[in-house]
PDB file of all heavy atoms in Angstrom:
ATOM      1  N   PRO A 315     -23.783  15.213   4.122  1.00 98.00           N
ATOM      2  CA  PRO A 315     -24.745  14.832   5.151  1.00 98.00           C
ATOM      3  C   PRO A 315     -25.581  13.632   4.686  1.00 98.00           C
ATOM      4  O   PRO A 315     -25.867  13.492   3.493  1.00 98.00           O
ATOM      5  CB  PRO A 315     -25.627  16.076   5.305  1.00 98.00           C
ATOM      6  CG  PRO A 315     -25.449  16.863   4.052  1.00 98.00           C
ATOM      7  CD  PRO A 315     -24.134  16.482   3.450  1.00 98.00           C
ATOM      8  N   TYR A 316     -25.906  12.765   5.638  1.00 98.00           N
ATOM      9  CA  TYR A 316     -26.718  11.579   5.314  1.00 98.00           C
ATOM     10  C   TYR A 316     -28.111  11.729   5.917  1.00 98.00           C
ATOM     11  O   TYR A 316     -28.252  12.043   7.103  1.00 98.00           O
ATOM     12  CB  TYR A 316     -26.052  10.310   5.867  1.00 98.00           C
ATOM     13  CG  TYR A 316     -26.950   9.085   5.792  1.00 98.00           C
ATOM     14  CD1 TYR A 316     -26.968   8.290   4.658  1.00 98.00           C
ATOM     15  CD2 TYR A 316     -27.799   8.751   6.852  1.00 98.00           C
ATOM     16  CE1 TYR A 316     -27.808   7.183   4.568  1.00 98.00           C
ATOM     17  CE2 TYR A 316     -28.638   7.640   6.775  1.00 98.00           C
ATOM     18  CZ  TYR A 316     -28.642   6.868   5.631  1.00 98.00           C
ATOM     19  OH  TYR A 316     -29.473   5.780   5.548  1.00 98.00           O
ATOM     20  N   PHE A 317     -29.112  11.504   5.097  1.00 98.00           N
ATOM     21  CA  PHE A 317     -30.502  11.385   5.553  1.00 98.00           C
ATOM     22  C   PHE A 317     -31.061  10.110   4.941  1.00 98.00           C
ATOM     23  O   PHE A 317     -30.901   9.900   3.741  1.00 98.00           O
ATOM     24  CB  PHE A 317     -31.349  12.571   5.060  1.00 98.00           C
ATOM     25  CG  PHE A 317     -30.991  13.880   5.697  1.00 98.00           C
ATOM     26  CD1 PHE A 317     -29.945  14.645   5.184  1.00 98.00           C
ATOM     27  CD2 PHE A 317     -31.686  14.348   6.804  1.00 98.00           C
ATOM     28  CE1 PHE A 317     -29.601  15.861   5.766  1.00 98.00           C
ATOM     29  CE2 PHE A 317     -31.349  15.568   7.390  1.00 98.00           C
ATOM     30  CZ  PHE A 317     -30.302  16.323   6.872  1.00 98.00           C
ATOM     31  N   ASN A 384     -31.156  10.730  10.981  1.00 98.00           N
ATOM     32  CA  ASN A 384     -31.064  11.887  10.102  1.00 98.00           C
ATOM     33  C   ASN A 384     -29.796  12.691  10.347  1.00 98.00           C
ATOM     34  O   ASN A 384     -29.341  12.812  11.477  1.00 98.00           O
ATOM     35  CB  ASN A 384     -32.257  12.820  10.347  1.00 98.00           C
ATOM     36  CG  ASN A 384     -33.482  12.333   9.618  1.00 98.00           C
ATOM     37  OD1 ASN A 384     -33.397  11.902   8.467  1.00 98.00           O
ATOM     38  ND2 ASN A 384     -34.621  12.388  10.284  1.00 98.00           N
ATOM     39  N   ASN A 385     -29.298  13.255   9.268  1.00 98.00           N
ATOM     40  CA  ASN A 385     -28.237  14.262   9.348  1.00 98.00           C
ATOM     41  C   ASN A 385     -26.967  13.759  10.021  1.00 98.00           C
ATOM     42  O   ASN A 385     -26.368  14.453  10.821  1.00 98.00           O
ATOM     43  CB  ASN A 385     -28.763  15.520  10.073  1.00 98.00           C
ATOM     44  CG  ASN A 385     -28.044  16.774   9.610  1.00 98.00           C
ATOM     45  OD1 ASN A 385     -27.260  16.729   8.644  1.00 98.00           O
ATOM     46  ND2 ASN A 385     -28.272  17.883  10.290  1.00 98.00           N
ATOM     47  N   LEU A 386     -26.558  12.557   9.712  1.00 98.00           N
ATOM     48  CA  LEU A 386     -25.247  12.096  10.153  1.00 98.00           C
ATOM     49  C   LEU A 386     -24.239  12.461   9.067  1.00 98.00           C
ATOM     50  O   LEU A 386     -24.601  12.636   7.901  1.00 98.00           O
ATOM     51  CB  LEU A 386     -25.245  10.578  10.346  1.00 98.00           C
ATOM     52  CG  LEU A 386     -26.012  10.015  11.534  1.00 98.00           C
ATOM     53  CD1 LEU A 386     -25.884   8.497  11.567  1.00 98.00           C
ATOM     54  CD2 LEU A 386     -25.501  10.611  12.844  1.00 98.00           C
ATOM     55  N   THR A 387     -22.982  12.548   9.448  1.00 97.00           N
ATOM     56  CA  THR A 387     -21.949  12.845   8.458  1.00 97.00           C
ATOM     57  C   THR A 387     -21.448  11.553   7.834  1.00 97.00           C
ATOM     58  O   THR A 387     -21.038  10.636   8.540  1.00 97.00           O
ATOM     59  CB  THR A 387     -20.771  13.574   9.130  1.00 97.00           C
ATOM     60  OG1 THR A 387     -21.280  14.757   9.716  1.00 97.00           O
ATOM     61  CG2 THR A 387     -19.692  13.938   8.117  1.00 97.00           C
TER      62      THR A 387
HETATM   63  C1  NAG B 267     -27.673  19.032   9.938  1.00 58.40           C
HETATM   64  O1  NAG B 267     -26.633  19.300  10.861  1.00 58.40           O
HETATM   65  C2  NAG B 267     -25.931  20.484  10.593  1.00 58.40           C
HETATM   66  C3  NAG B 267     -24.727  20.591  11.518  1.00 58.40           C
HETATM   67  O2  NAG B 267     -24.876  19.807  12.625  1.00 58.40           O
HETATM   68  C4  NAG B 267     -26.877  21.666  10.731  1.00 58.40           C
HETATM   69  O3  NAG B 267     -26.175  22.855  10.460  1.00 58.40           O
HETATM   70  C5  NAG B 267     -28.007  21.499   9.745  1.00 58.40           C
HETATM   71  O4  NAG B 267     -28.953  22.538   9.929  1.00 58.40           O
HETATM   72  C6  NAG B 267     -28.690  20.151   9.942  1.00 58.40           C
HETATM   73  N1  NAG B 267     -29.647  19.978   8.862  1.00 58.40           N
HETATM   74  C7  NAG B 267     -30.879  19.561   9.062  1.00 58.40           C
HETATM   75  C8  NAG B 267     -31.781  19.501   7.867  1.00 58.40           C
HETATM   76  O5  NAG B 267     -31.287  19.228  10.154  1.00 58.40           O
END
Side-chain angles (χ1 to χ4, degrees):
Y316 170 88
F317 291 84
N384 279 318
N385 208 8
L386 289 180
T387 301

